[in-house]
Amino acid sequence: MLDDKTDLKSILKDPSLLATKAFVAGEWVDADDGTTFDVTNPARGDVICTVPDLGRAETARAIAAAEEAMKDWAARTGKERAQIMRKWYDLMMENQDDLGAILTAEMGKPLAEARGEIAYGAGFIEWFGEEAKRVYGETIPGHQRDKRITVIKQPIGVAASITPWNFPNAMIARKAGPALAVGCGFVCRPASETPLSALAMAVLGERAGLPKGILSVITSAKASDIGKEFCENHTVRKLTFTGSTEVGRILLRQAADQVMKCSMELGGNAPFIVFDDADLDAAVEGAMASKFRNNGQTCVCANRIYVQSGVYDAFAEKLAKAVNALKVGDGLKEGVEAGPLINEDAVKKVQEHIQDVLDHGGSIVTGGERHEMGGTFFQPTVLTGVTQEAKVSHEETFGPVAPLFKFETEQEAIAKANDTIFGLASYFYARDVGRITRVQEGLEYGIVGVNTGLISTEVAPFGGVKQSGLGREGSHHGVEDYLEMKYICLAV
Ligand SMILES: NC(=O)C1=CN([C@@H]2O[C@H](COP(=O)(O)OP(=O)(O)OC[C@H]3O[C@@H](n4cnc5c(N)ncnc54)[C@H](OP(=O)(O)O)[C@@H]3O)[C@@H](O)[C@H]2O)C=CC1
Ligand SMILES: O=C(O)CCCC(=O)O
């Protein structure tokens, strides 16, 4: 275990996984101009290491190399690609502890969660490697006697990704997985806060036998330059992004100039509804999992908790008890369940949302302040008496704040849950089968968790409706975003 003075490298079983150069066109490189930027540990505030600050020129080289490497990669059989991806999956799982420690150090989530993310991320590599063998086409009865119609699916071309800091491994894995599986080249630009997990994945990808140039990792401090290169470079055929709706809109506008295909996994504002016939203990367990996973910093975290009036007080009391039991601290230390927030801006947003609830007549049941550990640690918080006028009912808090709204009827709960521009994940707890059916059908969301707070898995299609995004990631549907359909009409 890392004590406060030990450096990260010294606790890794394989210190070579802590790569500090960028991976471009199959080479480990510095920036052309030699510049670097710091990667810091949000729990301690200290610098872990520096990485190269690449720009558009290096990104263009990575894109060109991906195009070149694709010629052979796409020509291989699905099974050949699958074998390399399986090896990559195995290496990720064999190195789960080290990858987890690197992830915790740069991002802050507790080690157990970080190891869980490695398994989750590796799962996408395994799943999509298997799918490589199942990129099926179609035959369609001809429209004239002498016509034969077939539909084949081909890799879309070079795919580029931009991903956030909250899942430094899994968000890349669920984009790289389908792209590489179907034969695309892949260039990723990890968040500037968390480049180390991406580089460690590339180390293992190289060991697994991914061909030179098929995968590049662009470390950079300034995202907008790399985003522009991705959108303006004519070799890139696909942009896949996870992050805020605001940045998603910018990228969609930029990508429009060359009519680039885009997948967008954007912000959420997940409602979590507890009906009066719910198993309350199960609902509290689900709310803890959904709300406090990654310290509230996921796009599928419960953001608004609606509780029916008959069980409101009992639920609030049980939830506050569970929240008070959470152990906050440095994620690299044993038993910690909630780490720091990613940065000071995140703390300010949490404070603003809490103050706004108080200004609208709500109250704090527990938490509400910076944690005594200082830095960006924040007390897990429960708020009651929250109304639709509060900011938290319209904006993602992205922090450990559980705001409880009261409602009376099923129709009211559905209407309030849908009263948002977002439509990613939603959750509800109930036992009446008629109610369960009506509510799951009535929620305008891409994902509905019924009597569960955990919905993430590589085997299901993850994605949102409304302004939460475009496309689906995971499941057999996940490869479609990286394929083009070609219709062939043969006269015989
Ligand atoms: N849907 C989701 O999964 C996520 C949602 N969010 C939401 O967004 C809020 C802000 O978080 P934040 O991390 O700043 O999210 P952003 O959307 O700003 O960042 C996500 C990624 O996009 C990059 N980026 C930022 N601006 C541009 C640009 N102009 N062109 C190209 N890439 C860009 C970032 O780079 P860099 O790291 O260098 O800034 C990062 O890699 C959160 O509080 C949360 O509400 C955040 C993360 C994930
Ligand atoms: O917050 C996000 O970026 C979405 C990932 C969460 C998940 O896959 O469960």
Side-chain angles (χ1 to χ4, degrees), residues 428-449:
F428 69 94
Y429 276 70
R431 280 187 286 207
D432 178 85
V433 72
R435 168 175 279 169
I436 288 176
T437 309
R438 287 189 300 274
V439 177
Q440 70 194 15
E441 289 172 1
L443 289 169
E444 295 168 358
Y445 288 82
I447 306 167
V448 184

Side-chain angles (χ1 to χ4, degrees), residues 92-115:
M92 282 169 71
M93 292 310 293
E94 280 163 27
N95 291 281
Q96 187 179 12
D97 289 350
D98 280 355
L99 295 179
I102 291 170
L103 200 159
T104 294
E106 66 176 345
M107 190 269 146
K109 72 177 64 172
L111 254 185
E113 265 191 76
R115 290 192 191 112

Side-chain angles (χ1 to χ4, degrees), residues 382-400:
V382 178
L383 305 172
T384 50
V386 187
T387 60
Q388 288 296 104
E389 288 70 46
K391 270 188 188 160
V392 67
S393 75
H394 306 295
E395 288 174 25
E396 212 172 11
T397 306
F398 239 60

Side-chain angles (χ1 to χ4, degrees), residues 93-243:
M93 292 310 293
E94 280 163 27
N95 291 281
Q96 187 179 12
D97 289 350
D98 280 355
L99 295 179
I102 291 170
L103 200 159
T104 294
E106 66 176 345
M107 190 269 146
K109 72 177 64 172
L111 254 185
E113 265 191 76
R115 290 192 191 112
E117 180 181 338
I118 302 306
Y120 181 42
F124 285 104
I125 303 299
E126 179 193 41
W127 170 271
F128 284 114
E130 290 161 353
E131 282 301 292
K133 293 174 270 184
R134 288 184 274 276
V135 180
Y136 300 136
E138 205 177 354
T139 60
I140 296 175
H143 58 301
Q144 289 161 349
R145 287 184 182 189
D146 68 336
K147 295 292 183 328
R148 304 291 180 269
I149 296 175
T150 52
V151 178
I152 61 168
K153 291 185 181 173
Q154 294 176 303
I156 193 164
V158 173
S161 78
I162 298 180
T163 46
W165 45 266
N166 61 343
F167 286 85
N169 174 297
M171 292 307 100
I172 295 172
R174 75 179 180 193
K175 298 173 189 309
L180 294 172
V182 302
C184 296
F186 188 76
V187 181
C188 70
R189 189 271 176 196
S192 47
E193 290 93 340
T194 56
L196 302 178
S197 294
L199 294 171
M201 286 168 77
V203 170
L204 296 177
E206 193 181 25
R207 281 184 205 165
L210 285 176
K212 202 175 162 75
I214 202 75
L215 168 74
S216 286
V217 180
I218 306 295
T219 55
S220 86
K222 197 166 168 219
S224 55
D225 284 353
I226 312 303
K228 282 193 186 120
E229 184 61 33
F230 285 165
C231 292
E232 290 169 14
N233 189 313
H234 289 254
T235 301
V236 178
R237 296 288 169 77
K238 163 89 195 177
L239 178 67
T240 170
F241 173 71
T242 296

